[in-house]
Amino acid sequence: GEDVEQSLFLSVREGDSSVINCTYTDSSSTYLYWYKQEPGAGLQLLTYIFSNMDMKQDQRLTVLLNKKDKHLSLRIADTQTGDSAIYFCAETLNQAGTALIFGKGTTLSVSS
Amino acid sequence: DAEITQSPRHKITETGRQVTLACHQTWNHNNMFWYRQDLGHGLRLIHYSYGVQDTNKGEVSDGYSVSRSNTEDLPLTLESAASSQTSVYFCASSDAGTDTQYFGPGTRLTVL
């Protein structure tokens, strides 16, 4: 079945770049997503990439997609303490069409 | 502004009781989803609906049911609450033809 894997923790210093990695299994996913969850809150859509793209840049965020290796990454430039959160990678649940399968989430801790 | 709301935000109940968690969205989205979030498991799909009168089982549907009588609401019912159902529950919605989901703020359910 579909599965999404992420490393669980990442710790960086303020001002450094953060790279959060994800691997997925369903190569037919049309879109791949990054969601952010701040403490005590719901998930907020951060960015997404269409499956026929290799890269997408949105201000401090860069998403890289390697379809051959089924690898997705999220790079946050100039990481700030406000970026501390849990980041979830998600792919489409192929059988259902638009339901999503989430990874377990990567907790990003930013120290000043 | 259009939004997605969940109620209650916090609920404590006893084992064996029936519990219903409400989800209401004002975007007129066709697709609605229920997830539970647990430490070590990330988000897991419980049930989803692609329109009125449509419901489908997700990855962890045992012990849960949903009904979709209108576009705006997808209540989640725990028929006989169990301690294993202590979790944070998130509702989400998306428009037809898109995978991008928007999440509610979550309901923290404790079953004693």
Side-chain angles (χ1 to χ4, degrees):
Chain A
E2 295 84 357
D3 198 13
V4 179
E5 299 284 342
Q6 299 178 239
S7 53
L8 294 182
F9 299 101
L10 177 64
S11 181
V12 301
R13 298 186 70 86
E14 193 174 23
D16 289 348
S17 292
S18 306
V19 179
I20 301 171
N21 294 302
C22 169
T23 57
Y24 61 96
T25 56
D26 187 355
S27 58
S28 64
S29 292
T30 306
Y31 291 95
L32 293 143
Y33 296 85
W34 285 104
Y35 281 83
K36 176 183 180 182
Q37 184 182 31
E38 296 181 351
L43 273 71
Q44 171 191 0
L45 178 66
L46 201 56
T47 187
Y48 62 91
I49 187 167
F50 191 51
S51 60
N52 69 353
M53 297 171 65
D54 298 324
M55 184 180 85
K56 178 180 180 181
Q57 188 147 4
D58 184 1
Q59 299 182 329
R60 292 190 297 122
L61 305 178
T62 303
V63 179
L64 295 177
L65 176 60
N66 181 330
K67 286 195 72 174
K68 175 176 169 291
D69 295 338
K70 296 181 185 175
H71 183 266
L72 183 73
S73 68
L74 173 70
R75 178 176 181 271
I76 305 173
D78 187 25
T79 312
Q80 303 297 307
T81 54
D83 294 324
S84 294
I86 304 175
Y87 291 81
F88 292 93
C89 169
E91 66 166 345
T92 307
L93 175 60
N94 183 51
Q95 292 174 338
T98 64
L100 296 177
I101 295 293
F102 288 85
K104 292 183 171 57
T106 299
T107 298
L108 175 64
S109 174
V110 183
S111 58
S112 56
Chain B
D1 287 342
E3 60 177 356
I4 180 166
T5 57
Q6 294 182 236
S7 62
R9 295 295 313 279
H10 301 273
K11 173 80 176 176
I12 299 174
T13 191
E14 294 177 341
T15 302
R17 290 192 180 267
Q18 184 181 79
V19 176
T20 297
L21 308 183
C23 176
H24 179 81
Q25 52 96 3
T26 58
W27 281 302
N28 204 37
H29 285 166
N30 285 326
N31 307 328
M32 296 185 73
F33 309 86
W34 274 105
Y35 297 89
R36 59 178 289 176
Q37 184 178 25
D38 304 287
L39 274 175
H41 290 281
L43 275 86
R44 292 181 290 176
L45 183 64
I46 305 172
H47 281 286
Y48 55 99
S49 168
Y50 289 148
V52 175
Q53 303 301 331
D54 175 73
T55 61
N56 306 278
K57 294 182 179 181
E59 179 187 3
V60 290
S61 60
D62 288 348
Y64 303 94
S65 63
V66 292
S67 61
R68 189 87 181 272
S69 59
N70 59 53
T71 302
E72 295 79 18
D73 299 287
L74 186 70
L76 177 71
T77 298
L78 286 68
E79 304 295 344
S80 176
S83 57
S84 60
Q85 294 176 308
T86 292
S87 187
V88 180
Y89 291 86
F90 287 100
C91 179
S93 70
S94 68
D95 206 357
T98 175
D99 298 338
T100 304
Q101 295 186 16
Y102 298 90
F103 282 77
T107 294
R108 183 175 294 277
L109 176 68
T110 302
V111 183
L112 301 175

